[in-house]
Amino acid sequence: MRKKGNEGGAMNKKTAMERFRGFLFFMAIFVLIIIYWLAAFYTSEWIYTYLGKRPHEVIVQLINSMGGMLLWGITMKFLGDYFRSKQMVFFQAMVDAIRRMSRGDFNVSVENSTHMEPFVELVDSINDMAVQLGQLEKMRQEFISNVSHEIQSPLTSISGFSRALKNEGITEDERRHYLDIIEAESKRLSKLSDNLLKLTSLESEHHPFEPKSFRLDKQLRNHILACEPQWVEKEIEMDIDLAAVSITADEDLLSQVWTNLIHNAIKFTPAGGTIGVHLTAADKEAMIHISDNGVGISEEDQAHIFERFYKADKSRNRASGGNGLGLSIVKKILDMHQGSIEVTSKQGNGTTFTIRLPI
């Protein structure tokens, strides 16, 4: 209520200022008319005195009025030409800025050289549009660069080891090793393609979103059991505490969230480590904690881990086949559910992801 009152007060103040400016404008016109009429009156009086003749008073008043109107018209003509020229320069600057943006040059800035109130919002909108389009163009170029890099790396490996296989002098063990690398890099390319298509679909306005009621604790338990071969192989201890919670959400999309987060936890937890998956509910909100006692994430990296293609540890992600898109997909899905995700971590002390979802 206080905010609305402040906004209303600011609007009333702006309206009062506009009325005051309008009053000053009309007063200035009124004063100019009087000045021009007096100028015409004294000029005509001087002429009458110089000629020694004075016409009838009706003619005198008519001449004074016509003279004042003539002076007023001449003044308005010069002022109109002056402001029109400034406006033409201003409009031309706007047209040039729009043309440059249409050609992909977003490093433009229009100045309101007329200093007229109606054009302030227009200039601000054009400048803001240039900034936003510039940021989008930068993101697009970074995206293309990242995709090209991610594709080029496995292709280079596949090409190089394929040539190595042509060498008849290699041993059988070396041949199998090269084939394993080619297979791994091929899977990495396939995973990158799938994640790109998935992220593109999620960011479009046409991705299906089908919420329904289901037991979140059962879904989490099923995902943990599905990953059992991975955490059993590394002898990881699973600390599970799942309260019975039902939510309304898109079950398939959330399934992708748990798959990415639990697989990441297993991937970066050392052998014999511990992974925790806890689910609680309070204040119409489900809270999920997925933690591990792995190497952790630095504070610098924590600010960027949900960005596309960002990798906290480039060599580790490359060795494990990551492409830096998994957490971006998680963040996008949770945004679609009006949820949130946070990370708390300290290098050497593990990582905890906290997910909040409206019930």
Side-chain angles (χ1 to χ4, degrees):
M1 293 298 293
R2 184 178 300 173
K3 185 176 180 181
K4 290 183 179 178
N6 292 338
E7 291 177 352
M11 187 173 295
N12 291 334
K13 185 177 180 180
K14 183 177 180 181
T15 303
M17 286 296 297
E18 290 177 351
R19 290 178 179 174
F20 181 69
R21 289 175 183 173
F23 172 75
L24 290 179
F25 177 74
F26 285 111
M27 286 298 297
I29 292 177
F30 179 72
V31 171
L32 281 176
I33 291 175
I34 293 177
I35 292 173
Y36 289 145
W37 188 87
L38 290 174
F41 172 79
Y42 285 111
T43 301
S44 62
E45 287 295 324
W46 180 84
I47 293 174
Y48 301 150
T49 303
Y50 179 80
L51 294 176
K53 293 182 179 180
R54 183 181 181 85
H56 192 273
E57 284 300 319
V58 174
I59 304 299
V60 170
Q61 295 297 329
L62 182 61
I63 291 174
N64 291 341
S65 299
M66 294 296 294
M69 291 177 62
L70 179 63
L71 291 174
W72 172 262
I74 293 173
T75 302
M76 291 298 103
K77 173 67 168 58
F78 282 111
L79 287 176
D81 291 342
Y82 172 74
F83 286 113
R84 191 178 299 110
S85 63
K86 291 194 69 175
Q87 287 181 356
M88 289 303 297
V89 172
F90 170 67
F91 287 131
Q92 188 61 47
M94 285 200 300
V95 171
D96 291 341
I98 294 172
R99 285 176 177 171
R100 287 173 60 185
M101 285 190 288
S102 69
R103 292 193 295 266
D105 180 9
F106 305 113
N107 188 25
V108 299
S109 178
V110 181
E111 295 184 3
N112 187 6
S113 58
T114 63
H115 300 290
M116 296 178 66
E117 187 70 24
F119 299 114
V120 172
E121 187 174 355
L122 177 60
V123 170
D124 290 343
S125 298
I126 291 177
N127 290 335
D128 183 63
M129 179 173 64
V131 172
Q132 296 295 330
L133 289 174
Q135 292 176 350
L136 287 174
E137 176 64 15
K138 183 179 178 181
M139 290 175 60
R140 185 186 69 85
Q141 292 177 356
E142 290 178 352
F143 180 79
I144 293 174
S145 176
N146 287 327
V147 171
S148 300
H149 175 75
E150 290 294 330
I151 292 177
Q152 187 62 35
S153 180
L155 285 178
T156 301
S157 296
I158 292 172
S159 175
F161 287 109
S162 296
R163 287 195 301 270
L165 286 173
K166 295 179 180 179
N167 184 1
E168 297 180 357
I170 63 175
T171 65
E172 186 63 25
D173 289 340
E174 288 177 327
R175 187 182 304 277
R176 289 177 181 174
H177 176 64
Y178 294 160
L179 288 172
D180 288 341
I181 293 176
I182 291 174
E183 182 182 10
E185 293 298 294
S186 299
K187 289 181 179 179
R188 205 172 126 211
L189 270 178
S190 177
K191 185 178 179 181
L192 172 63
S193 175
D194 289 342
N195 283 340
L196 281 174
L197 290 173
K198 191 173 298 178
L199 190 58
T200 302
S201 177
L202 289 172
E203 291 179 342
S204 72
E205 297 180 358
H206 307 291
H207 189 86
F209 185 76
E210 301 173 352
K212 63 179 180 180
S213 180
F214 64 94
R215 285 280 296 274
L216 181 58
D217 55 302
K218 289 184 178 181
Q219 185 187 45
L220 284 167
R221 186 173 288 105
N222 290 335
H223 274 277
I224 294 169
L225 292 175
C227 298
E228 185 176 3
Q230 287 80 32
W231 50 264
V232 167
E233 181 182 0
K234 297 181 69 173
E235 298 181 349
I236 294 174
E237 179 183 351
M238 300 298 293
D239 178 16
I240 311 300
D241 185 9
L242 305 175
V245 178
S246 295
I247 67 169
T248 300
D250 190 310
E251 189 171 5
D252 291 336
L253 288 179
L254 285 186
S255 177
Q256 183 68 52
V257 171
W258 315 133
T259 297
N260 289 358
L261 292 178
I262 295 174
H263 279 187
N264 276 352
I266 296 173
K267 186 188 302 181
F268 300 127
T269 298
T274 302
I275 293 177
V277 182
H278 298 168
L279 168 62
T280 58
D283 299 328
K284 298 182 179 180
E285 183 180 66
M287 186 177 297
I288 305 95
H289 298 280
I290 299 177
S291 59
D292 64 67
N293 61 348
V295 295
I297 305 171
S298 68
E299 291 186 7
E300 179 183 357
D301 290 328
Q302 290 178 40
H304 303 284
I305 59 173
F306 298 109
E307 297 175 6
R308 290 179 296 185
F309 295 106
Y310 189 84
K311 301 176 183 179
D313 186 338
K314 274 69 175 177
S315 60
R316 184 180 67 181
N317 276 273
R318 186 165 300 282
S320 57
N323 50 49
L325 290 176
L327 290 178
S328 298
I329 293 173
V330 167
K331 181 70 165 60
K332 183 61 183 177
I333 292 174
L334 292 175
D335 287 343
M336 293 171 65
H337 285 84
Q338 307 299 315
S340 65
I341 181 169
E342 299 173 358
V343 58
T344 54
S345 181
K346 190 174 181 180
Q347 286 186 307
N349 291 333
T351 302
T352 298
F353 286 96
T354 300
I355 301 95
R356 290 181 173 86
L357 286 168
I359 295 178

